[in-house]
Amino acid sequence: MLFRTVLRKKLSGPLAVLASTALVLASAPPVAAQQNKGPPILRDTESEALLREYTRPILRAAGLEKQNIQMVIINDSSFNAFVADGHRIFVNYGAIMQSETPNQLIGVLAHETGHLAGGHLSKLRQQLANAQTMMIITSLLGAGALVAGASTGGGGSGLANAGAAALAGPQEMVRRSLLSYQRQQEENADRAGVKFLTATGQSPKGMYETFKRFTNESLFAARGADPYLQSHPMPADRVAALEEFAHSSPYWDKKDDSSLQMRHDMVRAKISAFMDRPDTVNRRYPISDTSMPARYAHAISTYLHGDLRSALVQIDALIQQQPNNPYFYELRGQALLEGGRPAEAIAPLRKAVAISGSAPLIEMLLGQALVATDNKAYTDEAITILRTAVARETEAPLGYTQLAMAYGKKGDYAEADLASAQAAFLRGDNKTARELASRAKTRFAIGSPGWVKADDIVAAKPMKTN
């Protein structure tokens, strides 16, 4: 299931502008993040599971396996990946789509892990703090010279000019110093990424191929640019250094496992079907293409654009070929649910939950189907499933929204208001969250667990955006 939500923890301040990025082509987080709305996110169990599998050995090699680093897919078609808070690696879905092999995407993730392992974010914060201190001192000295020049009248024009120079010159030096520091971080992340790949027996070739491909496309734009004004190393220099270091790996020619390549292609097909227009999907996966990824893409695209009967036939054929694939059952359940047949969606979703090891996002979809049947016999089961899901997956508003509906059907309006408040809070709608939580407090006994949770939401301070 692929659906959109909003990241509650917004990027803000200098990190929103100076987030570490994989490529010089895309040197800032998505526009939505810069507008303080939080980057729009895509959630999908299959895609996230694949990314976790890609990063797990890399994080282990970097000594970060116990840090609970999360993979977050951004709803952006451009090629980019970045880290911004030390606990998450953000990947645009465009990076997945444009990586033809697992190794190409793994290389980018290894680079981003290099930023995390190097503590680049905290070091950058310190550099920014030092720069701010220097700017303040410079401003005070410059302002003093300007005041002295003004107080001496026309004869003090030299002092006034000196004050203006004192303000402008060091500011430029500070800016160049920060950019130079970022360039060095990028070079260090490249080298660290190659080391992690080598340590895990993986080829750095995909990383090199990806960087070289995008560098070739940007060389014309970079021609004549001042290398000291670039936040990343100049493209040609960076790729040349990466090529030399990457070629030293004994795994340079190692290929991706065929089964991993298939999973990679399936996820790309899924994302394409959900995010692209039908004509784009048909061009990428012609009808003559009978591969599993092509059939997967067509089944999804068919159901999304209104032909449920044909889509179910296609999905059933996929299930027949891979009867233990939980995502085919998930797709069948989602198609039936969104096609207005929630009762029929329950069985395939139960199967998907069982095979996937109770994946929380799939549990939420099952809970949604149980609630949508309007069969009160399912209400208690839906509540149990949804409570389990939101306990394991704490940042998905869908779970709390469906939980609120289930409690409402049961007549438990205190829990319904609390769940609705939690959903609103996760969506970033703090005003609605506080209103609902305030109402929930009047329904709970003072000091009860529900009252405490509602009070926490009421007391929560809006997140600063600068």
Side-chain angles (χ1 to χ4, degrees):
M1 175 188 181
L2 201 73
F3 65 91
R4 303 179 187 183
T5 185
V6 175
L7 184 65
R8 178 166 57 88
K9 297 179 180 178
K10 303 182 181 76
L11 304 180
S12 60
L15 290 182
V17 179
L18 297 173
S20 301
T21 55
L23 297 173
V24 71
L25 297 188
S27 58
V31 173
Q34 298 171 11
Q35 294 174 342
N36 301 318
K37 296 179 181 179
I41 292 174
L42 298 179
R43 300 300 312 274
D44 175 59
T45 301
E46 182 177 13
S47 303
E48 291 174 1
L50 184 64
L51 291 179
R52 283 195 299 271
E53 186 166 330
Y54 286 168
T55 56
R56 190 175 296 115
I58 300 294
L59 293 171
R60 188 181 304 117
L64 299 174
E65 61 181 322
K66 296 182 179 180
Q67 299 301 313
N68 192 30
I69 305 297
Q70 299 178 22
M71 300 302 304
V72 181
I73 304 173
I74 301 293
N75 184 9
D76 192 310
S77 62
S78 63
F79 194 112
N80 197 17
F82 60 94
V83 293
D85 62 4
H87 299 289
R88 285 179 277 200
I89 299 177
F90 297 84
V91 183
N92 286 5
Y93 82 79
I96 301 174
M97 290 300 302
Q98 295 178 53
S99 296
E100 296 181 355
T101 67
N103 188 243
Q104 290 174 356
L105 185 57
I106 291 170
V108 173
L109 298 176
H111 169 92
E112 295 307 320
T113 302
H115 282 302
L116 292 175
H120 291 174
L121 292 176
S122 60
K123 292 177 182 177
L124 180 57
R125 290 189 190 99
Q126 186 59 51
Q127 287 289 323
L128 290 169
N130 293 342
Q132 186 176 32
T133 300
M134 189 181 300
M135 295 287 280
I136 291 172
I137 294 172
T138 299
S139 297
L140 290 174
L141 292 174
L146 286 171
V147 171
S151 65
T152 58
S157 60
L159 282 174
N161 290 336
L167 286 171
Q171 289 179 0
E172 179 63 17
M173 289 175 58
V174 169
R175 186 168 72 94
R176 284 175 175 255
S177 176
L178 281 173
L179 292 173
S180 175
Y181 183 76
Q182 281 192 282
R183 288 197 303 275
Q184 187 59 53
Q185 284 190 332
E186 293 299 325
E187 292 174 346
N188 291 343
D190 287 348
R191 297 180 70 85
V194 172
K195 288 182 179 179
F196 299 150
L197 290 167
T198 301
T200 55
Q202 300 182 84
S203 172
K205 188 174 184 179
M207 178 179 175
Y208 166 73
E209 289 173 342
T210 298
F211 280 47
K212 186 175 188 302
R213 175 164 60 95
F214 285 97
T215 296
N216 288 341
E217 295 175 3
S218 65
L219 276 177
F220 179 78
R223 190 173 300 159
D226 182 348
Y228 297 100
L229 293 180
Q230 308 302 310
S231 64
H232 292 63
M234 288 296 285
D237 295 341
R238 181 178 180 183
V239 171
L242 175 60
E243 180 180 19
E244 181 179 357
F245 190 56
H247 264 295
S248 66
S249 169
Y251 303 105
W252 172 263
D253 291 319
K254 186 175 180 180
K255 304 294 183 183
D256 288 311
D257 182 80
S258 59
S259 62
L260 190 64
Q261 180 68 58
M262 174 58 72
R263 290 178 60 196
H264 185 81
D265 292 341
M266 292 292 280
V267 166
R268 293 174 71 214
K270 184 178 198 174
I271 293 175
S272 175
F274 272 102
M275 304 306 296
D276 292 334
R277 291 158 44 110
D279 56 336
T280 301
V281 175
N282 288 333
R283 283 196 301 272
R284 183 174 284 125
Y285 302 99
I287 299 299
S288 58
D289 186 349
T290 60
S291 67
M292 287 292 286
R295 293 166 58 192
Y296 198 23
H298 284 297
I300 295 170
S301 186
T302 300
Y303 113 73
L304 285 175
H305 296 92
D307 192 349
L308 179 59
R309 179 179 297 180
S310 176
L312 291 174
V313 171
Q314 296 177 54
I315 296 169
D316 287 342
L318 292 172
I319 290 174
Q320 185 174 8
Q321 188 161 344
Q322 291 187 5
N324 292 317
N325 188 323
Y327 310 116
F328 292 163
Y329 293 100
E330 179 191 22
L331 177 60
R332 194 178 204 284
Q334 183 177 357
L336 287 165
L337 178 59
E338 295 182 5
R341 295 157 63 176
E344 296 176 59
I346 293 173
L349 289 174
R350 287 193 198 281
K351 185 79 169 178
V353 167
I355 300 175
S356 69
S358 300
L361 296 181
I362 302 179
E363 286 184 322
M364 291 178 190
L365 197 59
L366 173 57
Q368 183 177 359
L370 292 168
V371 171
T373 60
D374 288 327
N375 185 341
K376 291 186 177 181
Y378 286 134
T379 302
D380 287 337
E381 181 186 2
I383 290 173
T384 299
I385 290 172
L386 289 167
R387 286 180 66 89
T388 300
V390 298
R392 295 170 59 203
E393 174 52 68
T394 60
E395 293 192 357
L398 173 68
Y400 287 105
T401 299
Q402 296 303 317
L403 192 57
M405 294 177 66
Y407 277 125
K409 289 187 174 185
K410 194 175 180 179
D412 190 341
Y413 301 117
E415 291 286 0
D417 281 343
L418 176 58
S420 293
Q422 289 168 313
F425 186 74
L426 289 174
R427 291 195 302 268
D429 186 352
N430 293 325
K431 181 176 181 295
T432 300
R434 285 193 296 270
E435 291 174 352
L436 289 167
S438 296
R439 190 169 71 185
K441 286 179 64 179
T442 67
R443 301 180 188 273
F444 283 113
I446 295 176
S448 65
W451 186 93
V452 172
K453 290 178 182 178
D455 187 60
D456 287 342
I457 295 175
V458 172
K461 295 181 179 179
M463 195 167 299
K464 294 181 179 180
T465 57
N466 53 45

